Amino acid sequence: MGQAGALLEHRLLEGANLYFPRPAVKLTFDVSGLAELPEGSALSLARAVGMRTAAVGAPNSELRWFTLSRLVSALTRQVARRGGVVRLAVRSRRGTHPNEVVVAVPWRHTGKVDALAEGISEVLDAAGSRRRTIDAALVRAGERLRAADEGGEPRLIEPSVPVVGITGTNGKTTTSRMIAHVAMTAGRHVAWSSTEGVHHDGRLVVDGDYSGPGGAREVFKCSPLDLAVTETARGGILRRGIGVRRFDVSVVTNVTADHLGLEGIDTLDQLAEVKSVVPRITKPKGWAVLNGDDPRVFAMRHLTAARPWIFSPDPNSPSLRTALDEGGRATTVLDGAVVVVTHGRVMPVVDLVDVPMTLCGLSRANVENALGVTSAAMALGFTAPQIAEGLTSFLPEQNNPGRMAIWLYRDRIFVIDVAHNEAGLQALLDICHGLRGPGAALVVSLSMAGDRQPDAFRKLGEMAGLAAQQVVYTRTSHYLRGADPNQLAEWVAEGLEPTGTSLSARFDSELETLEWVMGHTAPGDVIGFMSHQQRDEVKARMGADGGHAASVDEIRSLVLGDGSS
């Protein structure tokens, strides 16, 4: 029989991660060989590594597969003990594929974790070989671990200034930008990282997606620095861990369907577990700012030592009462104004109609973002007037490019947004409906990165088909991530079918889509335009032909419908 457990991945997580609130090593094994071991051989391995079990199940039985993660965990502890590590925390779970088991342990030195991984692999190989004994392999594994050089240590940042960690599915970049803007308008030096790069005092210093630990490292290279704001995405947590040791304030915007089916994260509950790492490492005297209208996010208050600060646009939300009863704080909307509530006090901050990002309250997503930003900024010590000044001077197009930008072009209304998942599209559609006048048509241009499951594309198609009179699809090349662009379009078309709609057109660039839209719409129509790859080119094309980003006054006029423009 061949190798019983091949090492597929050896990944160092240099900060808090899905498994531990400190650096860990993630080892992924192909355990199909263990699943196929004769029952006697599997039981011998279990007993050799100290498992107290009377049954491991027949080869490839459900009991065998159920037992495998526990068996590999026990093996990991046994190798560690043989190597002189008396106590070792071990976490195990099923991997991305059914034949995989993931084992994670904390680490301090790369040499030791390398030796541990090699030792586990050797014992697993011995379990599947008739020529080698498990006990002898355990002895060798222990000796290797004892003799291993310590090697390098984690590069974990010890912050010297307050740090805000922001996570969630939607709204992370907008929230990061808004908090940074509030700080800058208050005269602070601030650096922030996001999917749009690393900025220092409003200036781009590093371009690219820096929503992982690399972004945190770049932020702390900036000087002078009074405040650090880090966007912390799912991928960074899973692949490398969080780059700082702790947060002073954390913000969790929401948990919605996105990137499911990747890296072993298949459900919303699993995705929430990943996002919860951010509030988990927030200081006990800090604040965890949580969306009270998202049950998975609201439940994270039980996982953090930080104090809860809950936000919801609904002042009657049970989550707000619960937070206040638990000694926390709340931010909500009363009489059209953002207010902060503590026991015995209601503090007005700013009228929603004066916060440009909310589009006079039309954008519920940005109302929630404004509430989260208010909570985080006040938790950092900013005053209500400072927060109001920051929120009222933060403009959709100038300060938040790519997010809910409203353009007026040849008497059409364009709402341009990344809208990369179901929640993002719904937010886009809500704004489009709010801006559409009587008799006007709605056209939706869809586009999406390739690293999603087929049902995600079908759902976008269904949502667009139910909302719009015409739907087009743009096959962008930059974010395909290995996917077939024609297949993505087919999945969207499949989602449209139950709505009685079909794709009106398919294009290979956003500029081509723009030209088609202008030839198939009339003055007054509203276009929801997903833009990922050619956002600047699309805006330049409209600007060269008399189009422009709507001003605050124009947006107010469109939303309130007073007839001016």
Side-chain angles (χ1 to χ4, degrees), residues 437-461:
L442 171 59
V443 176
V444 174
S445 169
L446 296 177
S447 179
M448 199 173 174
D451 57 346
R452 269 75 171 175
Q453 294 296 298
D455 281 347
F457 289 88
R458 296 184 183 106
K459 183 61 177 179
L460 288 187

Side-chain angles (χ1 to χ4, degrees), residues 169-334:
T169 306
N170 295 85
K172 297 187 296 297
T173 298
T174 297
T175 299
S176 300
R177 290 169 170 170
M178 292 178 78
I179 292 174
H181 185 79
V182 169
M184 287 189 295
T185 57
R188 309 291 175 81
H189 295 289
V190 57
W192 70 97
S193 60
S194 72
T195 54
E196 302 291 337
V198 178
H199 292 74
H200 180 225
D201 288 344
R203 180 176 61 88
L204 179 67
V205 293
V206 186
D207 193 12
D209 184 347
Y210 277 87
S211 58
R217 281 193 284 273
E218 293 295 331
V219 160
F220 279 93
K221 292 178 183 178
C222 297
S223 181
L225 187 63
D226 300 319
L227 174 67
V229 181
T230 66
E231 180 179 329
T232 308
R234 168 206 62 89
I237 296 172
L238 288 171
R239 291 190 287 269
R240 298 180 64 189
I242 294 175
V244 297
R245 190 173 296 278
R246 51 85 180 152
F247 295 116
D248 296 86
V249 175
S250 56
V251 182
V252 186
T253 60
N254 47 51
V255 177
T256 62
D258 197 21
H259 294 292
L260 297 181
L262 301 176
E263 298 176 281
I265 305 302
D266 300 313
T267 68
L268 283 176
D269 289 334
Q270 290 173 329
L271 184 59
E273 185 182 11
V274 176
K275 305 289 186 183
S276 71
V277 175
V278 174
R280 281 176 187 267
I281 63 168
T282 303
K283 293 165 53 177
K285 292 185 178 180
W287 291 94
V289 177
L290 306 173
N291 185 340
D293 292 337
D294 188 317
R296 293 179 177 87
V297 176
F298 183 54
M300 291 180 192
R301 74 192 192 283
H302 297 305
L303 305 176
T304 178
R307 295 167 290 179
W309 196 316
I310 307 302
F311 64 89
S312 168
D314 178 9
N316 296 311
S317 170
S319 65
L320 303 187
R321 295 195 300 271
T322 300
L324 295 172
D325 289 344
E326 294 176 350
R329 296 180 182 177
T331 305
T332 187
V333 179
L334 288 174

Side-chain angles (χ1 to χ4, degrees), residues 16 52 91 121 269 284 338 382 412 429 486 533:
R52 297 181 179 179
R91 301 284 185 272
S121 295
D269 289 334
V338 175
F382 293 99
R412 280 90 164 163
L429 293 174
N486 293 313
Q533 187 168 334

